[in-house]
Amino acid sequence: MNAPSSRERLHWLASAWGIEPGYHDIWGCRHEISEAGLRALLGELGVAAAGDDEVDRSLALTHPRYWQRLAEPVIALEAPAGVLEVPVRVPRHGAGDRIAWRLVPEAGQPLDGDVDVDALRLCECTTVTGTPYELRVLAIEAALAPGYHRLTLRTAAAEASVRVIAAPARCFQPPALAGDARAWGWAVQLYGLRSSRNWGVGDFGDLLALIDAAAAHGAHAIGLNPLHARFPGDPRRVSPYAPSSRLWLDALAIDVESVEDFGEADDVRARVRAPAFAAQLQRLRDATLVDFDGVSRAKHEALRSLYAHFCRVHLANDTPRAQVFRAFQARGGAPLRRHALCEALQEHFQAQHPSIRDWTAWPEAWRDPAGEAAARFAAQATERIEYYEYLQWQADAQLARAAARCRERGMAIGLYLDLAVSADRGGSDCWSYRDHHAASASIGAPPDDFNLSGQDWGLPPPIPGALREAGHEPFVLALRANMRHAGALRIDHVMGLMRLYWVPHGASARDGGYVRYPLDELMAIVALESHRNRCLVVGEDLGTVPGEVRAALARACLLSCRLLYFERDAAGGFTPPAAYPRDALVSIGTHDLPTLPGWWLGSDLRLRRAFGLSGDDAARLEQARALDRVRLREALARDGRLPAGTDPAAAAQAALTPALVEAVHAWLASSPARLMMAQPEDWLGVTEQNNLPGTIDEYPNWRRKLPVTIEALAADATGARLARALAAERGDPRAAAVAAAGSGESPG
């Protein structure tokens, strides 16, 4: 038998660390990862593989690394459960080897036990450096309710601590969407809302007005871009999908004039209402694009003064409001303090050197959140740190108020929020959990129809092994933070629960590869947090989606994302809405795709050609779009929905009329999907999309405002007609829920 080749040994090592040697692209073509790519990905995971000798040494450590671990750090099981089965790997020194265990439920009394290893079911045997090892299964009889439980194991030679995640099999489904009930809502970019009162960026005060307007039109959900914390010291980092932290909120969304301290602080009110400041705010409102620099300066100037007032009047006197703030700090605990400490340190270093953009450029001693330098600063700069905690307190209170307003208006879903796939490597999440993220690799996507060169999103991927060692705590905290005030949560790039496309440092997006993640464990956390927060979950499953992910989403009742643009039959025609799945969210497009008017006019194709994103396929794409316009009219005609006087076989350049926009929406709304979201841009005639993937500064990503104020949007006749059409197609989910309850149907 021939000795394995160096390539075979490299593949074995890559597989042992969860790296897939190849993948199938969106067209079904197989791509094998080059040897250089595999070595680079292993290096990003901290595994030495630069040369064959290093591969051999790393391989030699793989077998012992697995067998010398008494138990895996995480176990997921369906709850409620009566038996916990734990695979254990034990060295055998002879008869009489024993395992002691202690199970501490999240609620309830601990259980203790001690068993003879020979009494456990034997699954596998091996030898490690001359010592025999056995894989056996420890079965513990225990009534485990849904929750996070802690199991500790001990033998004569080893110990292990295991986080046991007991979770429902399916995610939470709102009672209002039981049976055949269906809802619809508006999807907006919060920052892009215009109003006569905001400070140049959409805020939580605007959100209250939007909720009132949408509810009056019969909408049951308000979809928003991620509300994650930005970079106070660098407002030009505008992407909500590359935040400083996914655990905390965007301070620029705070409605300054609704902060209680604003009503108390006469000097701050006078300064804000002075002619010069008022003129500054009007310029920010009138700007075509959001001026994040100007908004940040204005808001932080006022908010710092309000915080100073709060310190003088409330914290110094331990008033009831001060006690509420202290309670918020206590609930936020160490994660909140680390985030605020990171922000305060960045402020400190940036004041000394304006070129310092984030913690990756700080002096080395301060890059460790648990280090002595950070602790010293924390002890000396309490007020500077608490300012950032004060901002989170205000943002959280205002978002909670918006969620309450949704309930008051009878919305079946309420706020539909968004969880980004990762955070910027220079942000507080990566500082707080530095060892949990790859230092230099980036998350991306392989080439597809919309990005022929592939994508590199510049975001650090989480390291699967490090997350498991931490019991997935950062992921738990991110879900919990974003579900707290949400009726529904969209998980961006949900495929990341199973695998992420890693692009090694210095490589092109075409040269990346997939790294696997523990799907069952992460799905259990999603289901558990979904029930605890009574939050519907939507999985953004666009792009290259493995069948295993779609099957897992279906089993767990996560809603799949289905977009009009992408739902096609084998011949390229548009899929009839009746064929859409029930457990789905449907919409025409998303923030990364053209608006309906932009799609119809081909604005996105011209943009992609102008920025070199079309490759050599520009002419083919334009021809395909012309055919798609005809196909869409034909699909409407087959369903009897083409507006009167519209010729289904008209020239591809025929106009997109308001009646045709309404017909497309009503046609899509007829699908059985539980939820439909509509974008105001589509009925307001906006042709520019919010984000053009593949560009950064070349295109004004994440800065576009709606062309009308919320007041005008509420009074818009076209939007009102469209809302009536959607309500007619979808019905009232609250009435359907009552009917379902009366017939004995269960949610989901």
Side-chain angles (χ1 to χ4, degrees), residues 17-20 41 45 464 498-500 502 513-517:
W17 284 90
I19 299 171
E20 298 182 2
L41 289 172
L45 285 166
M498 177 189 143
R499 67 180 192 178
L500 280 174
W502 286 36
Y514 281 103
V515 175
R516 292 192 295 273
Y517 289 77

Side-chain angles (χ1 to χ4, degrees), residues 260-261 310-311 313-332 386 390 393-394:
E260 270 191 78
D261 296 296
F310 179 72
C311 289
V313 175
H314 295 283
L315 289 183
N317 297 294
D318 194 29
T319 66
R321 282 195 69 225
Q323 292 167 19
V324 173
F325 175 57
R326 294 302 185 204
F328 175 81
Q329 289 177 299
R331 288 195 303 275
E386 288 192 340
Y390 172 84
W393 179 44
Q394 294 302 323

Side-chain angles (χ1 to χ4, degrees), residues 286-647:
D286 293 342
T288 303
L289 302 173
V290 178
D291 176 2
F292 280 103
D293 277 313
V295 168
S296 182
R297 283 193 299 271
K299 288 208 170 188
H300 280 288
E301 178 184 338
L303 288 166
R304 284 187 185 280
S305 296
L306 295 181
Y307 170 66
H309 166 88
F310 179 72
C311 289
R312 288 192 309 272
V313 175
H314 295 283
L315 289 183
N317 297 294
D318 194 29
T319 66
R321 282 195 69 225
Q323 292 167 19
V324 173
F325 175 57
R326 294 302 185 204
F328 175 81
Q329 289 177 299
R331 288 195 303 275
L336 173 60
R337 179 47 61 107
R338 283 195 299 266
H339 170 72
L341 175 57
C342 181
E343 301 287 33
L345 277 167
Q346 171 58 24
E347 178 190 333
H348 167 75
F349 285 115
Q350 194 169 23
Q352 297 176 352
H353 302 284
S355 62
I356 293 180
R357 298 181 68 230
D358 55 51
W359 70 267
T360 61
W362 296 352
E364 184 64 39
W366 278 268
R367 297 184 196 179
D368 178 4
E372 182 182 339
R376 234 181 6 254
F377 180 87
Q380 298 166 357
T382 301
E383 281 198 7
R384 296 172 71 175
I385 295 166
E386 288 192 340
Y387 169 64
Y388 292 101
E389 293 178 322
Y390 172 84
L391 295 182
Q392 290 304 316
W393 179 44
Q394 294 302 323
D396 184 76
Q398 292 192 2
L399 185 59
R401 195 174 304 138
R405 182 69 66 88
C406 291
R407 293 190 292 271
E408 291 164 8
R409 295 294 183 265
M411 287 189 162
I413 302 296
L415 299 181
Y416 165 42
L417 303 184
D418 199 346
L419 176 65
V421 68
S422 186
D424 190 292
R425 72 179 74 249
S428 75
D429 278 1
C430 286
W431 182 71
S432 299
Y433 302 100
R434 182 177 176 181
D435 295 336
H436 295 80
H437 297 85
S440 56
S442 296
I443 302 170
D448 59 25
D449 260 336
F450 273 76
N451 294 277
L452 298 175
S453 299
Q455 298 179 63
D456 180 344
W457 301 332
L459 300 173
I463 299 172
L467 281 181
R468 296 191 77 223
E469 292 294 340
H472 301 297
E473 188 65 12
F475 183 60
V476 173
L477 293 175
L479 286 176
R480 196 171 289 162
N482 289 276
M483 287 181 172
R484 183 166 59 248
H485 301 306
L489 180 69
R490 172 186 181 270
I491 299 179
D492 185 39
H493 197 69
V494 75
M495 293 82 80
L497 299 181
M498 177 189 143
R499 67 180 192 178
L500 280 174
Y501 188 78
W502 286 36
V503 181
H505 178 67
S508 75
R510 289 179 174 274
D511 297 322
Y514 281 103
V515 175
R516 292 192 295 273
Y517 289 77
L519 177 63
D520 291 346
E521 295 169 12
L522 296 174
M523 284 294 293
I525 292 170
V526 171
L528 179 56
E529 292 299 328
S530 167
H531 279 272
R532 291 192 159 180
N533 293 279
R534 297 183 61 79
C535 184
L536 176 72
V537 183
V538 179
E540 188 271 296
D541 54 346
L542 306 173
T544 307
V545 187
E548 185 179 346
V549 169
R550 279 264 166 86
L553 297 185
R555 286 194 304 272
C557 289
L558 274 78
L559 300 194
S560 172
C561 282
R562 300 302 172 100
L563 304 185
L564 171 72
Y565 297 147
F566 297 155
E567 293 301 306
R568 307 298 186 98
D569 59 27
F574 288 92
T575 301
Y580 282 43
R582 169 77 175 130
D583 283 324
L585 177 148
V586 298
S587 63
I588 289 174
T590 72
H591 52 265
D592 284 337
L593 296 170
T595 64
L596 182 58
W599 180 89
W600 191 268
L601 295 173
S603 301
D604 60 312
L605 299 181
R606 289 189 289 276
L607 277 174
R608 289 168 61 191
R609 184 170 65 248
F611 292 120
L613 302 176
S614 302
D616 298 325
D617 288 346
R620 178 187 66 81
L621 293 172
E622 290 184 4
Q623 291 172 357
R625 181 63 56 81
L627 177 58
D628 282 343
R629 288 192 288 269
V630 174
R631 284 169 166 163
L632 184 54
R633 286 198 302 268
E634 290 175 345
L636 294 173
R638 282 193 297 272
D639 211 28
R641 294 179 180 274
L642 201 63
T646 305
D647 181 2

Side-chain angles (χ1 to χ4, degrees), residues 72-86:
E72 293 298 311
V74 179
I75 290 177
L77 73 160
E78 186 176 329
V83 177
L84 169 62
E85 292 194 338
V86 187

Side-chain angles (χ1 to χ4, degrees), residues 265-286:
D266 296 342
D267 59 328
V268 181
R269 288 200 311 280
R271 192 159 71 250
V272 166
R273 290 166 183 168
F277 200 94
Q280 177 188 356
L281 294 185
Q282 193 59 52
R283 284 194 298 273
L284 292 171
R285 287 189 201 103
D286 293 342

Side-chain angles (χ1 to χ4, degrees), residues 216-273:
H217 282 77
H220 282 274
I222 297 290
L224 300 171
N225 55 278
L227 302 179
H228 306 324
R230 298 176 185 269
F231 291 81
D234 191 359
R236 290 164 296 181
R237 296 193 194 188
V238 298
S239 172
Y241 290 94
S244 172
S245 174
R246 301 190 300 167
L247 308 186
W248 307 104
L249 293 167
D250 177 14
L252 294 189
I254 294 172
D255 175 1
V256 176
E257 296 180 54
S258 291
V259 175
E260 270 191 78
D261 296 296
F262 188 83
E264 299 176 0
D266 296 342
D267 59 328
V268 181
R269 288 200 311 280
R271 192 159 71 250
V272 166
R273 290 166 183 168

